[in-house]
Amino acid sequence: MADNKQERVKLWDEVPGFDLLEEIDIPEKHSWFLDGTHCIPPWTPLFGWFWIKYCSHGLKTACSELSIPTCKGWEMRFRDGGSYNALNIVRDQKEIASREKRFREALRPWLEDFDGLWNGHKAELLSLYGPLKEFNIETASNLRLHHHLRDLVNVYARMWEIHFVGMYASYNAWLLLEELCKERFGISDQDTQFQDMVRGFDNKVYQTDKRLWEFAQLALDMGLKDIFTEKKAPEIEPGLRGTQKGQEWLAQFMRWMETDEVGGWRMQRMNELTEPYWMEDVSIPLGIVKHFVDKGRSYVLEDLRKGLIEKREIVVASLLDKISPHEKDLFEGLIRLAGKSSSYSEEHNLYCELYMHAILRRGCLAIGRRIAEAGTVDEPGDVFFLNPDEIDRVILVPEAHDLRFIARRRKAAWQIWQKRANPPIFTDRASLEEAAEKDLLPSRDAIAIKIVMGELPKVQPEAGADLSGLCASSGEAEGPARVVSTFDDLKNVRPGEVLVCPGSSPAWTPVFGIVKGVVADSGGILSHAAIIGREYEVPTVVNTSEGTSKIRTGQRIRVDANNCAVYILDKEK
Amino acid sequence: MEHQRYILWLDELRKEDGEVAGRKCANLGEMIHLGFRVPPGFALSIALYSKFLEDTGVAQRLSLAMNRLGDLKETMAGIEKLSRQLQGLVADEPVPETIERLIGERYEALCQKVGNADIPVAVRSSGVQSRPGMFETILNVKGRGPVVDAARRVWASAFTPRAIAFRIHKGLPLDGDRLGVAILKMVQAGVAGIGFTMDPYTGDTSKIVIEAGWGFGEGVVSGSETSDYCSLRKEDLAIEKKEIGKKTKRMVAGEKGTVFVDVPLEMQEIPCLSDDEIKDVGALGKRLEDAMGEPQDFEWAIEESGSYPEGLYLLQTRTAKVGGKPRVSATDRILDMIAKRIYRTADK
């Protein structure tokens, strides 16, 4: 019996049914790729449970709804806080052809009216989030908390379905535009010209940034400059409360946080539950307002956007000039749709992950407090080391249970995961290249290729670069490096530095306004760091794999994005 | 008397009968009257479509859904669900017997008229409003059962998520598209294509433009395959420009329906129409424009075996859009290119 029990624990632990079992999973799928874009640093088990189960559900749903000809979505497995992904590739030509027929039907409405469909999906999400936000976590009985968790799971699953339908729909146009541009003009999506065509579109992320910039202007108008410039972010709120004008400003600000469609319902770290959301910790958005106040009156956010729009119009006009009149409307349509990929990449994060994860954190922490009070676990945050099945087991009568043996063990393990890197792949293929060739690229899966796993960098040995990656935003930059692994470290970034990070999320957006260049370990041309790099015209190289491990803060580095290269200038430091 | 309005021979229809059996059928009837060579065939009227909806319960579901249009508009999920329900109703129920008999008997009468059993036909949608490319067309259908089934599929195409979403977003009623069906003898074409009695890109009405490809011409119509292009002076049909495209694929008759096959290498880069044939197609276009009184956008086909010029058929015609928009929408071309260039991995 004892042996048997041991076996079970070994088989399924953090994410039952989805823990990576090498002896079973590798022979079945050959290669499991680490999702370096989303799970660095490694996740807590509770977050992993939600993501692994429902993100893969969303991918499979979208591939089936849109009948993506060559891919039936992804499988995901959890290992040491990392997400390992394998693609369900369709290899039979007959099946591809029959899926293609339905694909055309399913994709068409998105090409005809992308905004209309996405607006419908946004409305659906907001209508699902509403009751969850209104649910009173303080007065709820344990039974109601149990129901709340179930509601969270259901809405979470739907969020991922919506997330990926829009994503697959919008990225196809990007892939085709790149394909045609390569063929006709020899330019890929790593070229400036291509990138200029698809940036400078308005979206909710930009609108929110602008709203915060306007609040900064209001603070200057109301004579509150000193409170923002002299205090650190956490002290700004008490500072404002100390003056009449400050209170007025704060009241207006909080009204926006509470009544805007998204407002304060967004996480600062996109893919984890352990860090607070804006409504929970007002010093986060106040810190961004502070950034804008520090920049002063002369910094006008809109000017940047205007410049991008002008540039886009010039590049598009010169490209259309080279195209036969037959194809003009085809290219115009494609460029417009590819621009939507950029906008969607940013905006969906706000309505999908950042919003949902804030609501999820709120509910899970409420449960954590309830079971910590009962002594089931040591502290509220320990709920992040349980999975929903374990929560279900104890939530109705928490005082009758002790789960500290699970939470403590997993927390200790999680702390170890934080200090080491997960391997990039589990595979029985001979090399990473072979694995990509056989188990990734035939999927033709835009999300795998352009975002999560990224294309493999072309190393140019003659350049003698210390790191090679993909050119996500062209240009050259030189400056002291600032290695940032978590959102918390972001506050140390100083103007003029080159940001070196594992990857970024929309919450990081404002920092792109002050750095000179960006180097990211992971991500493809449509990953967050890449898109924001382009929107802020910051030279950016992504998918360098080992930027954060090779570069140390303070070293002078040079980013030569056009040549996909990063140089460490003073290695002895 | 009433039942006779359900099915009509094409030559019973005239231009003004768009409300009876849809615009395509009405136009084809008019062409026959004007003496153009159109393949023989018959039309399923709008009244038959309505009867089909009533008999299968789709009409009732629609009026229910229309009452809660407010909720529907909010979510794509709602549209998809409604579409699934309606298409399921149309697809899973057997075609009511009276309707099956009407279509089946008329098909057999057509076979008799042509003098062959089980002739292949083209089953095309014929909406009251023109929505190019929105509804189903099924080519090379043989036999009573398959023809009835193809008609059902054309009707069901009024309820794809795309068609429903289109109507909702345009503020049209949910049952706003009423579909007639044209069932025509299939022309076993060796060469086929399209023609415009003006330059569709510049709107220049002194030109006639012809595009041609091997086989049934589907690739030419959808704009997805490279085709031969030529431009004529309308006045005297002098050929002014000729571009021979590399034609790698063609649609031909399969055992059931149609298949895309490779064009033999030696045929890929030769013109598929002789200069005389180009002029004949141009002349057909000129006659059409004269007959209709405005520039036309038409489809033609030349039978592979058989005598010429009797084998040159007019398949359909409509008013060309003045101001020169190509008839194949950018969306259609983008869709087609995405499907072929991103997801066809056979060559890899």
Side-chain angles (χ1 to χ4, degrees), chain A residues 119-418:
Chain A
N119 286 338
H121 277 162
K122 275 194 282 202
E124 184 183 346
L125 283 174
L126 293 172
S127 74
L128 291 170
Y129 294 160
L132 296 176
K133 278 157 61 182
E134 278 155 28
F135 176 75
N136 190 327
I137 49 172
E138 303 305 329
T139 59
S141 66
N142 285 10
L143 176 63
R144 291 289 295 124
L145 279 178
H146 170 87
H147 291 159
H148 184 59
L149 181 60
R150 222 186 276 170
D151 292 341
L152 286 169
V153 171
N154 285 335
V155 174
Y156 193 77
R158 179 67 187 142
M159 178 276 281
W160 280 118
E161 293 176 5
I162 288 176
H163 174 286
F164 282 115
V165 169
M167 195 167 236
Y168 274 106
S170 65
Y171 287 5
N172 281 292
W174 178 288
L175 288 183
L176 178 59
L177 182 63
E178 192 199 7
E179 176 98 7
L180 292 179
C181 283
K182 266 188 199 159
E183 179 190 279
R184 309 281 170 91
F185 315 112
I187 60 175
S188 81
D189 62 2
Q190 293 192 50
D191 285 285
T192 321
Q193 252 195 312
F194 188 98
Q195 296 172 359
D196 280 344
M197 282 197 296
V198 292
R199 61 178 144 191
F201 291 97
D202 198 16
N203 64 53
K204 181 76 183 170
V205 176
Y206 172 72
Q207 287 159 11
T208 303
D209 274 4
K210 198 178 151 215
R211 195 76 193 87
L212 295 177
W213 178 84
E214 284 165 2
F215 273 114
Q217 306 312 303
L218 181 67
L220 292 171
D221 291 343
M222 292 172 77
L224 301 168
K225 186 180 174 202
D226 292 351
I227 299 180
F228 280 94
T229 50
E230 284 167 16
K231 292 185 190 298
K232 287 189 169 161
E235 280 105 52
I236 294 174
E237 193 199 349
L240 288 168
R241 291 202 184 283
T243 72
Q244 179 67 32
K245 286 274 176 210
Q247 284 171 22
E248 280 170 31
W249 185 94
L250 196 61
Q252 279 196 45
F253 184 71
M254 291 311 290
R255 201 156 43 242
W256 173 78
M257 290 265 285
E258 282 158 25
T259 58
D260 182 75
E261 201 167 276
V262 178
W265 287 93
R266 60 188 279 181
M267 295 294 265
Q268 57 168 319
R269 180 172 168 201
M270 188 164 87
N271 303 307
E272 183 49 288
L273 297 170
T274 50
E275 288 173 45
Y277 51 97
W278 287 16
M279 284 287 263
E280 187 185 351
D281 180 358
V282 188
S283 74
I284 305 163
L286 289 178
I288 299 170
V289 176
K290 175 182 160 67
H291 260 303
F292 287 131
V293 172
D294 287 343
K295 286 194 157 197
R297 288 275 189 202
S298 61
Y299 179 71
V300 183
L301 203 57
E302 243 161 21
D303 290 350
L304 181 71
R305 179 99 355 186
K306 277 187 200 139
L308 289 179
I309 294 172
E310 273 167 32
K311 212 185 258 177
R312 183 179 78 218
E313 283 164 357
I314 293 168
V315 172
V316 169
S318 83
L319 190 91
L320 288 180
D321 206 38
K322 293 183 225 158
I323 288 167
S324 89
H326 284 49
E327 289 189 320
K328 210 159 239 172
D329 60 338
L330 172 89
F331 268 82
E332 272 168 351
L334 258 186
I335 292 168
R336 191 174 44 81
L337 286 166
K340 303 238 179 271
S341 320
S342 277
S343 277
Y344 184 81
S345 295
E346 272 198 77
E347 198 176 81
H348 84 275
N349 280 154
L350 214 50
Y351 288 91
C352 294
E353 296 96 323
L354 289 166
Y355 206 138
M356 180 72 227
H357 289 156
I359 295 171
L360 186 58
R361 170 174 162 90
R362 175 176 177 268
C364 291
L365 263 186
I367 291 168
R369 281 194 292 275
R370 208 57 71 81
I371 61 175
E373 275 162 28
T376 317
V377 291
D378 294 315
E379 54 181 24
D382 285 355
V383 74
F384 301 132
F385 300 96
L386 301 177
N387 64 47
D389 287 335
E390 288 153 356
I391 295 170
D392 279 351
R393 203 173 99 191
V394 304
I395 183 64
L396 292 184
V397 195
E399 63 277 15
H401 298 277
D402 185 352
L403 290 185
R404 287 176 300 180
F405 78 103
I406 297 178
R408 283 176 186 169
R409 169 173 63 80
R410 293 210 189 124
K411 195 176 189 171
W414 175 77
Q415 279 158 351
I416 293 165
W417 302 340
Q418 301 303 303

Side-chain angles (χ1 to χ4, degrees), chain A residues 65 68-71 90 93 96 100-101 103-105 107-113 116-117 119-121 123-124 127 158 165 168 172-173 175-176 179-180 183-184 325-330 333-334 337 442-446, chain B residues 73-80 84 132-134 136 153 157 160-163 165-166 169 201-202 211 222 224 229 241 243 325-326 328-348:
Chain A
E65 292 286 294
I68 300 294
T70 47
C71 187
V90 185
Q93 290 304 320
I96 292 175
E100 185 195 299
K101 240 183 127 196
F103 169 72
R104 292 171 188 237
E105 273 304 302
L107 186 63
R108 177 186 296 275
W110 288 95
L111 298 187
E112 284 172 348
D113 186 12
L117 295 179
N119 286 338
H121 277 162
E124 184 183 346
S127 74
R158 179 67 187 142
V165 169
Y168 274 106
N172 281 292
L175 288 183
L176 178 59
E179 176 98 7
L180 292 179
E183 179 190 279
R184 309 281 170 91
H326 284 49
E327 289 189 320
K328 210 159 239 172
D329 60 338
L330 172 89
L334 258 186
L337 286 166
S443 71
R444 312 291 292 140
D445 186 288
Chain B
K73 264 185 177 165
E74 286 201 356
T75 67
M76 191 58 202
I79 295 175
E80 281 159 9
R84 266 201 299 278
M134 170 93 70
E136 190 90 61
R153 273 170 62 198
S157 68
T160 56
R162 175 184 151 223
F166 178 86
H169 289 134
Y201 307 116
T202 62
E211 290 183 33
S222 72
S224 60
Y229 168 96
K241 206 182 203 183
E243 287 168 20
K325 262 205 164 171
V328 177
S329 72
T331 306
D332 281 308
R333 293 162 79 189
I334 291 173
L335 264 180
D336 207 69
M337 291 176 105
I338 288 173
K340 289 184 179 153
R341 304 188 60 143
I342 309 296
Y343 293 107
R344 289 223 180 134
T345 49
D347 50 331
K348 285 182 200 283

Side-chain angles (χ1 to χ4, degrees), chain B residues 84-295:
Chain B
R84 266 201 299 278
Q85 288 170 348
L86 294 177
Q87 287 191 299
L89 273 178
V90 177
D92 300 340
E93 297 278 325
V95 174
E97 207 195 317
T98 48
I99 298 179
E100 193 282 334
R101 215 170 38 235
L102 277 172
I103 303 175
E105 284 174 1
R106 187 57 67 101
Y107 169 69
E108 281 164 1
L110 176 68
C111 293
Q112 222 164 23
K113 228 177 166 177
V114 175
N116 260 324
D118 284 355
I119 59 157
V121 290
V123 181
R124 297 177 180 268
S125 61
S126 172
V128 175
Q129 274 80 37
S130 171
R131 306 215 195 294
M134 170 93 70
F135 307 113
E136 190 90 61
T137 278
I138 303 155
L139 298 179
N140 211 45
V141 186
K142 273 179 275 189
R144 179 171 172 150
V147 167
V148 173
D149 203 55
R152 182 225 310 259
R153 273 170 62 198
V154 170
W155 284 332
S157 68
F159 305 108
T160 56
R162 175 184 151 223
I164 294 175
F166 178 86
R167 294 195 288 268
I168 288 179
H169 289 134
K170 296 278 175 202
L172 300 169
L174 268 185
D175 57 356
D177 281 302
R178 293 171 299 143
L179 292 188
V181 181
I183 299 181
L184 308 157
K185 185 192 145 204
M186 184 78 200
V187 177
Q188 301 297 329
V191 184
I194 49 184
F196 302 88
T197 63
M198 65 175 198
D199 187 318
Y201 307 116
T202 62
D204 182 349
T205 52
S206 72
K207 310 274 182 232
I208 292 178
V209 167
I210 294 167
E211 290 183 33
W214 299 117
F216 291 168
E218 273 308 290
V220 183
V221 175
S222 72
S224 60
E225 300 291 337
T226 315
S227 51
D228 292 349
Y229 168 96
C230 82
S231 156
L232 312 168
R233 196 159 60 207
K234 199 184 280 173
E235 204 189 336
D236 57 357
L237 298 178
I239 298 172
E240 293 186 317
K241 206 182 203 183
K242 223 161 83 173
E243 287 168 20
I244 305 307
K246 187 174 166 160
K247 302 169 286 293
T248 55
K249 296 268 179 200
R250 63 174 163 181
M251 185 191 266
V252 296
E255 212 169 300
K256 264 206 278 174
T258 56
V259 284
F260 265 103
V261 296
D262 290 338
V263 173
L265 265 181
E266 67 277 12
M267 281 168 71
Q268 288 188 358
E269 292 180 78
I270 59 169
C272 52
L273 289 178
S274 68
D275 284 1
D276 283 344
E277 287 168 332
I278 291 172
K279 288 188 183 188
D280 288 342
V281 175
L284 170 63
K286 220 170 136 178
R287 270 178 63 209
L288 269 175
E289 183 178 305
D290 289 344
M292 305 302 282
E294 52 189 345

Side-chain angles (χ1 to χ4, degrees), chain A residues 8-72:
Chain A
R8 272 188 229 161
V9 171
K10 200 178 130 202
L11 261 176
W12 310 124
D13 191 12
E14 287 97 351
V15 187
F18 295 83
D19 287 333
L20 181 77
L21 302 180
E22 285 162 67
E23 61 278 24
I24 291 164
D25 292 322
I26 294 178
E28 188 177 301
K29 290 263 166 261
H30 297 293
S31 301
W32 292 86
F33 300 88
L34 177 70
D35 171 0
T37 303
H38 298 107
C39 59
I40 298 173
W43 294 330
T44 55
L46 183 64
F47 185 80
W49 186 92
F50 272 96
W51 179 288
I52 296 279
K53 280 182 86 151
Y54 294 107
C55 181
S56 65
H57 162 78
L59 283 154
K60 285 183 274 195
T61 303
C63 286
S64 146
E65 292 286 294
L66 289 174
S67 187
I68 300 294
T70 47
C71 187
K72 293 185 179 175

